[in-house]
Amino acid sequence: MKIIRFSYNNKCSYGILDGRTVQAVEGRPYPDLLPLKQLYSLNDVKVLAPCEPSKIIAMGLNYHSHAKEMGAGIPNSPLTFLKPPTAVIGHQANIVYPSASARVDYEGEMAVVIKKIAWRVPEDQAMDYVFGYTCFNDITARDLQARDNQWTRAKGFDTFAAIGPWIETDVDLENLTLETYLNGELRQCGNTSDLIYSVPNIINFISNVMTLMPGDIIATGTPAGIGPMHPGDVVEVKIQHIGTLKNYVIANGC
Ligand code: MG
């Protein structure tokens, strides 16, 4: 099932997407979906980021191929950092290239959306806390990441967390192809089978640090092939059986 968030006549709602038809749901879609009678055409609504996370927890160096291209070893434990919820944008929204940076990269990732409050969750129960999966672009000011001792600035600019286009609730994570395209050219091609730490590993690890809330996002890391974007570029993150997230890069001040 595909869950979207949308606005219609200036009112934001969640809905179930079936083909080109959107069926609104009551309130938020977790932990339980309560479908309403209102139906909309996808053509008539504005698609928003599919969730409203209280926080975004992202994984560094979680694909073997990316750790190799960065010349880094495999982390002894999951390497995590935060992106602020103010960085969130949705499908077809603009990524604003900050004037403080001269090198802004795409990082195509698969993201987990949390279904219910999660605190100290054992690995064997972790999947009970997953609502679904979506595409994520962990946009990064690579020069600032190298210059600063920590990553808050490099990862935290407004528009640096692209999420969407929807949440897919029924998908087998074991063997999904993940691709990133820049202006239609393939730049990243990975597979979730290359993940170093699995989704249950990560949920267990993070929920022993902080409470995860419904709608929170865990971005699971990027495969090899990261690279720069420039104003005017179009970037797409495509994940098999989930969907394609498309965004446009614009200069600051546009
Ligand atoms: Mg990343």
Side-chain angles (χ1 to χ4, degrees), residues 59 81 107 109 138 155 222:
M59 303 287 301
F81 60 93
E107 292 188 6
E109 309 198 4
D138 172 23
K155 300 280 192 177
T222 198

PDB file of all heavy atoms in Angstrom, residues 59 81 107 109 138 155 222, ligand 1:
ATOM      1  N   MET A  59      22.338   7.277   8.733  1.00  0.00           N
ATOM      2  CA  MET A  59      23.468   6.366   8.934  1.00  0.00           C
ATOM      3  C   MET A  59      24.613   6.778   8.025  1.00  0.00           C
ATOM      4  O   MET A  59      24.418   7.006   6.821  1.00  0.00           O
ATOM      5  CB  MET A  59      23.045   4.944   8.551  1.00  0.00           C
ATOM      6  CG  MET A  59      21.844   4.422   9.305  1.00  0.00           C
ATOM      7  SD  MET A  59      22.286   4.043  10.992  1.00  0.00           S
ATOM      8  CE  MET A  59      23.573   2.844  10.694  1.00  0.00           C
ATOM      9  N   PHE A  81      23.965  10.122  12.673  1.00  0.00           N
ATOM     10  CA  PHE A  81      23.921  11.567  12.845  1.00  0.00           C
ATOM     11  C   PHE A  81      22.476  12.015  12.625  1.00  0.00           C
ATOM     12  O   PHE A  81      21.642  11.228  12.176  1.00  0.00           O
ATOM     13  CB  PHE A  81      24.891  12.285  11.886  1.00  0.00           C
ATOM     14  CG  PHE A  81      24.622  12.044  10.421  1.00  0.00           C
ATOM     15  CD1 PHE A  81      23.826  12.914   9.697  1.00  0.00           C
ATOM     16  CD2 PHE A  81      25.160  10.938   9.769  1.00  0.00           C
ATOM     17  CE1 PHE A  81      23.577  12.694   8.344  1.00  0.00           C
ATOM     18  CE2 PHE A  81      24.917  10.710   8.421  1.00  0.00           C
ATOM     19  CZ  PHE A  81      24.124  11.592   7.703  1.00  0.00           C
ATOM     20  N   GLU A 107      23.008  11.984  -2.079  1.00  0.00           N
ATOM     21  CA  GLU A 107      23.226  10.648  -1.507  1.00  0.00           C
ATOM     22  C   GLU A 107      21.881   9.940  -1.536  1.00  0.00           C
ATOM     23  O   GLU A 107      21.018  10.197  -0.695  1.00  0.00           O
ATOM     24  CB  GLU A 107      23.744  10.707  -0.058  1.00  0.00           C
ATOM     25  CG  GLU A 107      25.150  11.271   0.087  1.00  0.00           C
ATOM     26  CD  GLU A 107      25.705  11.142   1.511  1.00  0.00           C
ATOM     27  OE1 GLU A 107      25.035  10.512   2.359  1.00  0.00           O
ATOM     28  OE2 GLU A 107      26.806  11.664   1.761  1.00  0.00           O
ATOM     29  N   GLU A 109      19.237   7.190  -0.796  1.00  0.00           N
ATOM     30  CA  GLU A 109      19.129   6.255   0.330  1.00  0.00           C
ATOM     31  C   GLU A 109      17.716   5.691   0.444  1.00  0.00           C
ATOM     32  O   GLU A 109      16.746   6.311   0.009  1.00  0.00           O
ATOM     33  CB  GLU A 109      19.481   6.966   1.654  1.00  0.00           C
ATOM     34  CG  GLU A 109      20.824   7.709   1.570  1.00  0.00           C
ATOM     35  CD  GLU A 109      21.446   8.056   2.897  1.00  0.00           C
ATOM     36  OE1 GLU A 109      20.899   7.674   3.940  1.00  0.00           O
ATOM     37  OE2 GLU A 109      22.510   8.719   2.860  1.00  0.00           O
ATOM     38  N   ASP A 138      19.942  12.289   1.053  1.00  0.00           N
ATOM     39  CA  ASP A 138      20.691  12.879   2.181  1.00  0.00           C
ATOM     40  C   ASP A 138      21.660  13.910   1.604  1.00  0.00           C
ATOM     41  O   ASP A 138      22.858  13.667   1.469  1.00  0.00           O
ATOM     42  CB  ASP A 138      21.423  11.761   2.940  1.00  0.00           C
ATOM     43  CG  ASP A 138      22.364  12.306   4.001  1.00  0.00           C
ATOM     44  OD1 ASP A 138      22.151  13.443   4.463  1.00  0.00           O
ATOM     45  OD2 ASP A 138      23.298  11.572   4.370  1.00  0.00           O
ATOM     46  N   LYS A 155      24.986  18.784   6.824  1.00  0.00           N
ATOM     47  CA  LYS A 155      23.813  17.935   6.565  1.00  0.00           C
ATOM     48  C   LYS A 155      22.497  18.638   6.886  1.00  0.00           C
ATOM     49  O   LYS A 155      21.439  18.062   6.655  1.00  0.00           O
ATOM     50  CB  LYS A 155      23.901  16.669   7.432  1.00  0.00           C
ATOM     51  CG  LYS A 155      25.122  15.786   7.200  1.00  0.00           C
ATOM     52  CD  LYS A 155      24.936  14.908   5.969  1.00  0.00           C
ATOM     53  CE  LYS A 155      25.998  13.826   5.896  1.00  0.00           C
ATOM     54  NZ  LYS A 155      25.768  12.925   4.730  1.00  0.00           N
ATOM     55  N   THR A 222      24.049   5.459   2.139  1.00  0.00           N
ATOM     56  CA  THR A 222      24.099   5.534   0.673  1.00  0.00           C
ATOM     57  C   THR A 222      25.130   4.560   0.112  1.00  0.00           C
ATOM     58  O   THR A 222      26.160   4.312   0.745  1.00  0.00           O
ATOM     59  CB  THR A 222      24.436   6.989   0.230  1.00  0.00           C
ATOM     60  OG1 THR A 222      24.081   7.167  -1.141  1.00  0.00           O
ATOM     61  CG2 THR A 222      25.910   7.330   0.425  1.00  0.00           C
TER      62      THR A 222
HETATM   63 MG    MG B   1      23.999   9.638   3.818  1.00  0.00          MG
END
